Amino acid sequence: AKALGATVGVDDPAKSGKCLKCHATAYNFTEELQVKAGEGATAKVVVEDGVTCESCHGPGKNYKSKAVMEDRQKAIAAGMVYPATDSCARCHNDQSPTWKADRYTTKDGNKVGFDAEQAYKKIEHPNPAAQK
């Protein structure tokens, strides 16, 4: 991380907003809350947790309970972002120091920097109960 950070002028990736905006859940939101509500307002969202479910699916306060999460429609009604593919482009874009404009080849043969369908296969997390 330090070597890559140096390529974009970052001394400490663990403290830089340039890196943490994508590598830490709610990083920008956390800073905003701390300014508005004071230190400790976001004690449950810490940078060290890295990328979590909420990075893509949004704040989980209202949908995180097992009773809600067992029913996708209930979770969506309670605020879960699904599908979360629109969230991908917030980090997977040409602002990333590892961006490659031709990383993916789409079904029609075009070279693109990001293709949500192909990327999803790498992070797919199906419901284990549904697979039985």
Side-chain angles (χ1 to χ4, degrees):
K2 285 192 177 196
L4 186 58
T7 68
V8 292
V10 171
D11 291 330
D12 188 352
K15 294 181 180 170
S16 171
K18 279 186 175 181
C19 301
L20 296 176
K21 68 181 182 178
C22 291
H23 291 277
T25 299
Y27 175 74
N28 292 319
F29 179 68
T30 300
E31 284 193 323
E32 180 182 314
L33 269 183
Q34 287 174 343
V35 169
K36 285 183 180 177
E39 198 68 38
T42 58
K44 292 182 181 181
V45 180
V46 294
V47 168
E48 292 79 11
D49 287 344
V51 176
T52 68
C53 305
E54 292 179 308
S55 295
C56 304
H57 295 288
K61 179 181 178 183
N62 296 324
Y63 68 80
K64 69 180 182 178
S65 73
K66 186 174 188 294
V68 174
M69 286 298 290
E70 287 180 331
D71 182 326
R72 181 178 292 157
Q73 294 310 312
K74 280 185 186 177
I76 292 168
M80 182 180 80
V81 175
Y82 184 87
T85 51
D86 288 345
S87 302
C88 303
R90 288 190 309 230
C91 295
H92 296 276
N93 60 52
D94 61 2
Q95 300 301 303
S96 168
T98 60
W99 177 258
K100 293 180 183 169
D102 61 351
R103 178 169 286 161
Y104 292 92
T105 303
T106 60
K107 290 178 182 176
D108 59 5
N110 289 323
K111 294 282 191 180
V112 295
F114 185 74
D115 180 62
E117 185 178 334
Q118 292 178 60
Y120 179 74
K121 291 176 183 170
K122 295 178 182 179
I123 61 147
E124 187 174 19
H125 40 282
N127 179 346
Q131 293 180 335
K132 291 181 181 178

